[in-house]
Amino acid sequence: MDHRVERVWLSLGGIGMGAIFGSGVVERWGSAFESVLISANFVTLLSALGGAAAGGLISYFIAKQASRETAAREKETLLANEHAQALSCMVTTMQAANRLFTLDKDLKRASTPLNGIQPWQILQASAGPGSPPLRYSPREFTPFIKAKSADVVHRSLLLAERLDSLEAAFAEYSRRRVELEQFLLPLSSFTSGAMSSAIPPNLQTPAKYRMDTLNRLILQMAEFCARDLADAQSLMKDLNTAFTRYFGDKANFRLEIDAVE
């Protein structure tokens, strides 16, 4: 009986000791935790941790804002560069159209002369060197390609080539006309400020050949120039449309054809 009681007591004692041990842990750490909560070091630690977290959030949002501002500036810079490229392309096209317009006006007048006057007698030779050839830069077409108007690339380059051909033809016409003037000069006389030429029979054939060559050049140039000027006007309209579509309210430039004779 005593032996059995002792065993029960040990079991109960184990339970009691376990309970006491558990209670001791709670009391010990509870007291320590309460001390930690009210200690200056813990408050300082929490403040430091809170400050670090707040500082990290502030740094994150500042970096995010800086990234957005950098992206916005880069986008604005890119758009400004594209705006300048598009304007350069449009100005080059305007110059081509102006040169075609001037040449077309002179050729039309010469190709429809009054009775008794030949076209070469109206269209004078150019004096001095001509204007330098117009050239497009590939970058100038970037905004129009982005605006889904890639066809203007081919049309612009073709217009520049046609203008080159016309101006080369006019330079050749000028050279041949000067040769004709030199050919006729020994046979000519001035009366009341006008020059008249008396061509002897043996020189009439070469003289007529030279004159007919100049007249054919004028008629051919007039035909080609009228076509190219119409193409330039159509191209200018399409450039205006693409420019406005791509740049919206920043599209502060338009190409216009001056049709005044």
Side-chain angles (χ1 to χ4, degrees):
M1 184 66 177
D2 293 338
H3 181 69
R4 186 176 53 191
V5 172
E6 183 179 358
R7 286 191 300 168
V8 173
W9 168 247
L10 286 175
S11 176
L12 292 176
I15 295 174
M17 288 177 63
I20 293 170
F21 175 76
S23 175
V25 169
V26 171
E27 288 182 3
R28 180 181 175 187
W29 283 100
S31 174
F33 189 67
E34 182 179 356
S35 300
V36 169
L37 286 178
I38 63 175
S39 69
N41 290 336
F42 184 74
V43 173
T44 302
L45 177 61
L46 284 181
S47 299
L49 291 175
L57 287 174
I58 293 172
S59 298
Y60 170 78
F61 286 115
I62 290 176
K64 194 76 171 176
Q65 179 65 21
S67 177
R68 284 196 296 264
E69 291 176 353
T70 299
R73 284 195 300 269
E74 290 177 351
K75 183 178 180 180
E76 185 177 351
T77 300
L78 176 61
L79 191 63
N81 290 335
E82 291 178 341
H83 191 271
Q85 292 165 0
L87 287 177
S88 179
C89 177
M90 296 175 77
V91 168
T92 300
T93 305
M94 178 183 67
Q95 291 174 324
N98 285 339
R99 284 155 71 162
L100 287 168
F101 180 82
T102 301
L103 187 57
D104 179 71
K105 183 174 61 175
D106 293 338
L107 290 169
K108 279 182 178 177
R109 185 165 53 88
S111 61
T112 54
L114 300 175
N115 292 334
I117 301 178
Q118 298 187 54
W120 73 268
Q121 293 175 293
I122 299 175
L123 185 62
Q124 301 296 316
S126 61
S131 301
L134 292 178
R135 292 292 179 263
Y136 291 96
S137 168
R139 290 179 300 177
E140 294 175 348
F141 297 119
T142 301
F144 299 102
I145 294 174
K146 287 186 175 181
K148 304 185 185 305
S149 297
D151 63 302
V152 303
V153 178
H154 171 72
R155 293 164 61 192
S156 298
L157 295 175
L158 184 60
L159 179 67
E161 291 177 0
R162 287 176 172 177
L163 178 61
D164 284 351
S165 297
L166 271 172
E167 293 183 334
F170 187 73
E172 177 63 17
Y173 167 83
S174 298
R175 185 186 68 81
R176 289 174 177 265
R177 193 182 190 282
V178 170
E179 288 181 350
L180 177 60
E181 292 174 354
Q182 294 172 345
F183 176 82
L184 295 176
L185 187 58
L187 312 173
S188 304
S189 60
F190 287 91
T191 304
S192 302
M195 185 178 74
S196 60
S197 302
I199 305 174
N202 63 316
L203 295 178
Q204 287 180 3
T205 298
K208 187 176 187 305
Y209 173 79
R210 292 170 184 259
M211 295 175 188
D212 288 347
T213 299
L214 293 179
N215 291 335
R216 285 196 304 270
L217 275 173
I218 291 173
L219 296 178
Q220 289 177 352
M221 288 190 296
E223 178 184 354
F224 294 149
C225 191
R227 175 205 63 188
D228 295 341
L229 179 59
D231 289 345
Q233 292 172 330
S234 176
L235 176 60
M236 289 167 64
K237 291 179 182 177
D238 291 342
L239 287 175
N240 283 337
T241 300
F243 186 73
T244 301
R245 181 170 62 244
Y246 188 71
F247 292 103
D249 58 357
K250 295 183 181 298
N252 55 353
F253 184 79
R254 285 187 61 82
L255 295 171
E256 302 290 346
I257 286 286
D258 183 4
V260 177
E261 294 290 342

